[in-house]
């Protein structure tokens, strides 16, 4: 059993402490036309490598999964360079984003089988001419419902999953449609323990989390620190609730952060937000570092009574079991 990183395959025992949903670099389509968008590739690679090294040295993280959608500036060669310099295992994915913010016109016109052909190629041969192979599949849906177009891309992901055996990592929008994604995976013949339903912490309702966990997938509390979507106190309360309900083995903790992007943000920021960003820039904390989960969120879990062995089991045992494709243990085991 091997896991494909951007520098080649590693064994399961090399995975170690893993962040399952982070990003290095993002570029929304069109940013390349912005005359104000300047990007110094060399400087970015150096800074990204510095940040990953810090994660590894200070917090013992050995693997970093970047499920960057294909059309959001995914740059496999750059990921490989950063992995090499930081000595971090970096795993990238194949798969497109959701309809409202992605899905290139050319691929909208393709059948699920044609899309799957691309995904399978990227998993078994490599991305473009880079030789870098994807180690997982990205699926994304919007809100409030999965669109017919998104359902086609989801079906393609299922064809590729069944053909290759690599797991699926999803994006959900506004904390909805997790159960609908599960239903679609089930009806397309994908085992639910091969799927990580992402961004479930965007929903504040513990009943929603229970429903996703009971459905038999992994559940992403993977926007830790993104308080624009949810306060971290709510995340921590809900995460501990799920652990106490016996679902520790299903929870994946991550932050959905990135350390660089092309041009401006994909939305207009308010004057208040800009002031906060300028403040963080002045202190060298912009974009916010990947270490937040360890420096700020882990203490919140400890305060709520979780032991270090419970906390680090979620960051080590769960990613390993997910990639291995082992069945999820029953609750409370
Ligand atoms: Zn993401």
């Amino acid at each position: 059993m091997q896991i494909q990183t951007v520098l080649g395959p590693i064994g399961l025992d090399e995975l170690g402490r893993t962040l399952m949903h982070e990003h290095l670099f993002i570029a929304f389509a069109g940013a390349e036309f912005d005359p104000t968008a300047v990007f110094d590739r060399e400087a970015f690679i150096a800074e990204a490598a510095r940040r990953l090294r810090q994660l590894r040295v200070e917090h013992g993280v050995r693997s970093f999964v970047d499920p960057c959608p294909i059309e959001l500036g995914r740059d496999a060669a750059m990921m490989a360079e950063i992995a090499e310099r930081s000595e971090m295992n970096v795993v990238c994915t194949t798969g497109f984003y959701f309809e409202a913010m992605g899905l290139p016109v050319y691929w909208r016109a393709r059948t699920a089988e044609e899309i799957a052909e691309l995904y399978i190629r990227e998993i078994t041969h490599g991305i473009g001419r880079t030789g870098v192979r994807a180690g997982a599949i990205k699926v994304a849906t919007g809100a409030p419902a999965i669109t017919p177009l998104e359902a086609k891309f989801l079906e393609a992901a299922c064809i590729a999953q069944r053909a290759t055996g690599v797991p699926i990592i999803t994006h959900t929008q506004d904390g909805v449609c997790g159960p609908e994604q599960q239903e679609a995976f089930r009806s397309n013949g994908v085992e639910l323990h091969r799927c990580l339903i992402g961004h479930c912490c965007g929903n504040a309702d513990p009943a929603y989390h229970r429903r996703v966990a009971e459905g038999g997938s992994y559940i992403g509390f993977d926007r830790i620190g993104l308080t624009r979507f949810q306060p971290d106190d709510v995340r921590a309360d809900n995460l501990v609730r799920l652990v106490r309900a016996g679902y520790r083995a299903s929870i994946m903790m991550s932050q959905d952060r990135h350390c660089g992007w092309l041009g401006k943000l994909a939305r207009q920021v308010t004057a208040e937000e800009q002031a906060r960003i300028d403040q963080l820039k002045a202190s060298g904390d912009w974009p916010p570092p990947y270490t937040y989960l360890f420096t700020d969120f882990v203490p919140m879990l400890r305060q709520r009574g979780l032991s270090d062995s419970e906390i680090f089991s979620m960051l080590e045992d769960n990613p390993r079991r997910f990639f291995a494709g082992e069945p999820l243990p029953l609750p409370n085991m």
Side-chain angles (χ1 to χ4, degrees):
M1 171 66 218
Q2 293 197 310
I3 298 157
Q4 279 303 330
T5 77
V6 295
L7 293 178
I10 60 167
L12 267 181
D13 54 332
E14 293 171 81
L15 197 60
R17 189 168 295 174
T18 302
L19 296 181
M20 285 296 304
H21 192 132
E22 305 292 342
H23 300 285
L24 291 168
F25 173 79
I26 287 203
F28 280 95
E32 67 272 28
F33 307 125
D34 186 343
T36 70
V38 279
F39 180 68
D40 182 337
R41 188 182 172 96
E42 275 313 304
F44 173 77
I45 290 172
E47 174 62 8
R50 187 192 68 76
R51 287 177 179 232
L52 292 194
R53 259 195 316 273
Q54 182 190 15
L55 257 187
R56 180 168 57 76
V57 172
E58 292 175 16
H59 301 288
V61 175
R62 292 186 52 201
S63 300
F64 179 103
V65 180
D66 178 352
C68 181
I70 294 170
E71 77 275 41
L72 261 57
R74 186 193 57 178
D75 186 332
M78 190 163 72
M79 287 182 192
E81 225 174 308
I82 294 165
E84 194 158 11
R85 286 213 213 166
S86 61
E87 296 174 73
M88 177 74 79
N89 298 319
V90 174
V91 176
C92 74
T93 60
T94 185
F96 290 103
Y97 211 29
F98 64 104
E99 185 168 356
M101 294 187 81
L103 298 187
V105 169
Y106 179 87
W107 289 98
R108 289 180 185 221
R110 305 276 70 83
T111 65
E113 289 73 19
E114 288 170 326
I115 299 161
E117 198 176 2
L118 164 68
Y119 290 1
I120 292 167
R121 178 93 193 165
E122 293 199 334
I123 294 162
T124 59
H125 286 76
I127 294 167
R129 284 178 294 275
T130 62
V132 172
R133 287 163 62 180
I137 302 164
K138 173 74 174 261
V139 162
T141 61
I146 300 176
T147 67
L149 202 52
E150 287 164 357
K152 180 169 73 174
F153 283 81
L154 193 154
E155 187 193 338
C158 291
I159 295 169
Q161 197 286 325
R162 297 196 314 266
T164 63
V166 302
I168 292 174
I169 299 169
T170 82
H171 168 100
T172 59
Q173 188 72 3
D174 302 340
V176 299
C177 288
E180 288 79 359
Q181 287 186 348
Q182 289 179 316
E183 186 44 47
F185 291 136
R186 193 182 292 115
S187 65
N188 282 291
V190 169
E191 294 178 294
L192 286 174
H193 68 274
R194 304 312 317 277
C195 307
L196 162 57
I197 308 297
H199 308 337
C200 292
C201 54
N203 193 315
D205 182 4
Y208 178 84
H209 305 138
R210 278 294 285 269
R211 200 171 151 207
V212 171
E214 281 167 7
S217 294
Y218 287 84
I219 176 166
F221 277 65
D222 49 10
R223 282 187 150 174
I224 291 166
L226 290 184
T227 50
R228 188 160 68 85
F229 299 117
Q230 193 76 265
D232 275 342
D233 275 315
V234 176
R235 280 198 181 90
D237 288 344
N238 278 327
L239 192 154
V240 171
R241 225 173 244 134
L242 212 50
V243 170
R244 294 296 172 234
Y247 288 103
R248 188 185 75 211
S250 307
I251 302 168
M252 298 288 200
M253 287 196 284
S254 208
Q255 304 163 114
D256 199 15
R257 297 229 162 152
H258 40 311
C259 78
W261 52 88
L262 188 64
K264 302 173 175 125
L265 296 181
R267 62 188 170 88
Q268 288 294 336
V269 292
T270 64
E272 224 170 60
E273 283 176 309
Q274 192 56 52
R276 176 82 186 126
I277 290 168
D278 291 342
Q279 196 181 17
L280 289 168
K281 270 184 184 160
S283 62
D285 284 334
W286 182 259
Y290 298 121
T291 48
Y292 174 88
L293 191 155
F294 299 95
T295 55
D296 291 69
F297 193 70
V298 163
M300 293 171 73
L301 298 179
R302 289 191 186 117
Q303 269 169 18
R304 286 164 173 77
L306 291 198
S307 69
D308 278 16
S309 83
E310 287 175 308
I311 293 166
F312 292 111
S313 170
M314 289 185 271
L315 292 165
E316 294 166 15
D317 299 331
N318 296 0
R320 185 176 56 235
R321 195 185 323 98
F322 175 67
F323 277 106
E326 289 166 19
L328 261 166
L330 293 170
N332 288 318
M333 283 179 69

